[in-house]
Amino acid sequence: MNIKDVLNKNNFVFKKKYGQNFLTDNNILNNIINFADIKEDTLVIEIGVGGAALTQKLSKKAKNVLGYEIDVSLKEPLSKILCNDKNVTIIYDDFLKRNINEDLKKFKYGNLMVVANLPYYITTPIITKFIDENVNVDKIIVMVQNEVADRFSALPGSKSYNSLTVFLNYYFNIKKVFNVSRNVFYPKPNVDSAVVMLERKKEKVKVDDEQLFFSIVKQAFCFKRKTLKNNLKNYDLEKIDKIMKTFNKNINYRAENITIEEFAIISNELTK
Ligand code: SAM
C-alpha cells in the first residue's frame, strides 16, 4: 500500500510542531534495518511512527514493534497502512509522558532495542528518558540532526564535546553510523541528519557518587571558554589541582580536554 496515497486520501496535513519530516528513501530505510541487525526475539520501540515507512520494515524483522505517535490524525491512515502487520502496537500519546517500563509489561521478548527516526525537537529528552526510567535497552539506533550526532559521539578535545557528551557516554558506547541528506525527507527539513548508535556499556566507569560526578561535569562546562579553575570555584580547587597532576593535567585546563575517566577520578577523590 502506498503511504503517500493513504495519507492524501485521509487529508493528512504535516505538522511542523511535531517534527514531521517523513523518510522517503527506501535505501536509507534498508540501511537502517540492515545496520540494526534485529534478531527474531527482539522487541523494537519506535518513537514517532509517522507514515510507518520504517515501522513496516521493523515489523518484518522483529518479534514485536511498540510504536509511539503523538498525532492522533495518523490513527486512521495507519490502521490501513499497517493492517497486515499484526505484531505492531501503536500507542497514540506523547512518548515523554509515558511510563516505558509499564508499557513494556505487555510484551515478552529476548532483547530490547530502539530504532527510530526521532522528532528532532525532543531528541535529548527521549534518550535521557531511557536512562532516567532505567529501561533495560541494549541498543538505540536513531536518526538525529547531524550536529546532535556529532555532539553525542564527540571525543575529548573536539569542538562538539560537552557535558551531554560525557553524560551519555557514561552509559553508552556511541558511534555515528552514517550521514543522511535533508533531500530524502518529505517535507524537506532545514538540517542534515545522521544515524547514531548508542550501545549500553557492559561496564561503566567507576563513579562513587553519581550526583557529585554529574554536577562537576555540568559546572566544568558551564562557561565553555573558561578553565576548570574558573568553572569549579565551588569545589576545593587546590585538591582538584593535586588530583589532576596525577594524570599530568591541572586546573588551567578546559573541560573539553578532560576525559570521562578523568572526571570520574576527580569526583571520586573529592568524596574522600
Ligand atoms: N518514523 C517516521 C519516518 O521515519 O518517516 C516519522 C518520523 S518524523 C521525523 C517524527 C514523528 O514523531 C512524527 O510522526 C511525529 O508526529 C512524531 N512525534 C513528535 N513528537 C512526538 C512525541 N512527543 N511522542 C510521540 N511521537 C511524536
Side-chain angles (χ1 to χ4, degrees):
M1 194 172 308
N2 188 307
I3 294 173
K4 244 188 185 162
D5 289 349
V6 181
L7 293 179
N8 280 341
K9 257 191 202 149
N10 283 269
N11 301 318
F12 175 72
V13 181
F14 283 89
K15 295 166 197 73
K16 216 175 171 179
K17 66 170 179 176
Y18 289 149
Q20 287 179 344
N21 302 97
F22 293 179
L23 199 44
T24 56
D25 187 314
N26 212 31
N27 287 331
I28 303 283
L29 287 162
N30 286 337
N31 287 347
I32 296 172
I33 296 292
N34 290 338
F35 185 81
D37 190 24
I38 300 160
K39 304 279 182 272
E40 270 173 16
D41 63 346
T42 302
L43 169 63
V44 176
I45 296 181
E46 184 191 12
I47 302 108
V49 174
L54 184 60
T55 323
Q56 286 178 307
K57 290 186 186 281
L58 291 171
S59 146
K60 304 220 163 26
K61 298 276 179 185
K63 183 175 183 201
N64 289 100
V65 179
L66 169 59
Y68 292 89
E69 178 50 64
I70 198 169
D71 187 351
V72 287
S73 79
L74 282 165
K75 210 171 186 170
E76 182 78 25
L78 282 177
S79 70
K80 292 172 190 147
I81 294 165
L82 293 169
C83 64
N84 293 322
D85 299 282
K86 303 286 179 225
N87 60 347
V88 177
T89 305
I90 300 178
I91 296 177
Y92 290 91
D93 197 1
D94 178 352
F95 173 72
L96 296 180
K97 294 198 177 134
R98 304 297 303 182
N99 178 329
I100 310 173
N101 283 317
E102 207 49 52
D103 291 341
L104 288 172
K105 277 186 184 159
K106 297 173 197 85
F107 299 91
K108 281 205 169 73
Y109 51 88
N111 67 91
L112 181 65
M113 267 173 105
V114 175
V115 183
N117 171 18
L118 294 181
Y120 293 176
Y121 72 107
I122 45 170
T123 298
T124 302
I126 287 173
I127 291 172
T128 51
K129 188 171 167 70
F130 285 94
I131 298 172
D132 295 342
E133 296 188 10
N134 215 355
V135 180
N136 200 5
V137 62
D138 305 319
K139 264 190 212 172
I140 300 179
I141 294 165
V142 278
M143 177 95 73
V144 299
Q145 189 178 328
N146 195 26
E147 285 73 20
V148 174
D150 286 339
R151 203 169 309 139
F152 284 5
S153 57
L155 293 175
S158 70
K159 199 170 91 236
S160 309
Y161 186 74
N162 68 4
S163 61
L164 179 65
T165 317
V166 178
F167 176 72
L168 291 178
N169 282 271
Y170 174 67
Y171 296 99
F172 299 103
N173 290 316
I174 306 180
K175 196 163 91 183
K176 187 168 165 179
V177 186
F178 54 84
N179 293 320
V180 180
S181 153
R182 65 189 72 185
N183 296 322
V184 299
F185 296 90
Y186 186 83
K188 182 171 151 181
N190 297 325
V191 293
D192 287 315
S193 300
V195 173
V196 279
M197 175 170 73
L198 298 89
E199 238 177 328
R200 181 71 83 165
K201 280 189 175 167
K202 299 223 160 42
E203 242 174 85
K204 289 189 288 192
V205 175
K206 190 183 160 291
V207 166
D208 296 333
D209 180 342
E210 285 188 350
Q211 212 178 337
L212 176 67
F213 171 72
F214 290 129
S215 81
I216 288 175
V217 170
K218 212 166 173 194
Q219 288 192 46
F221 282 96
C222 195
F223 298 100
K224 228 180 162 231
R225 302 305 304 156
K226 291 196 170 176
T227 62
L228 294 193
K229 187 175 170 183
N230 289 302
N231 278 334
L232 295 182
K233 278 189 176 137
N234 297 335
Y235 298 90
D236 184 341
L237 285 175
E238 217 173 290
K239 193 166 179 186
I240 294 177
D241 194 46
K242 235 183 188 171
I243 302 164
M244 292 184 73
K245 285 189 171 135
T246 65
F247 47 82
N248 296 324
K249 291 183 181 171
N250 59 59
I251 47 168
N252 294 314
Y253 273 67
R254 292 197 188 106
E256 65 193 33
N257 292 309
I258 312 297
T259 66
I260 297 188
E261 291 76 11
E262 289 165 348
F263 274 120
I265 296 172
I266 294 171
S267 114
N268 290 346
E269 287 299 317
L270 283 181
T271 59
K272 287 181 186 161

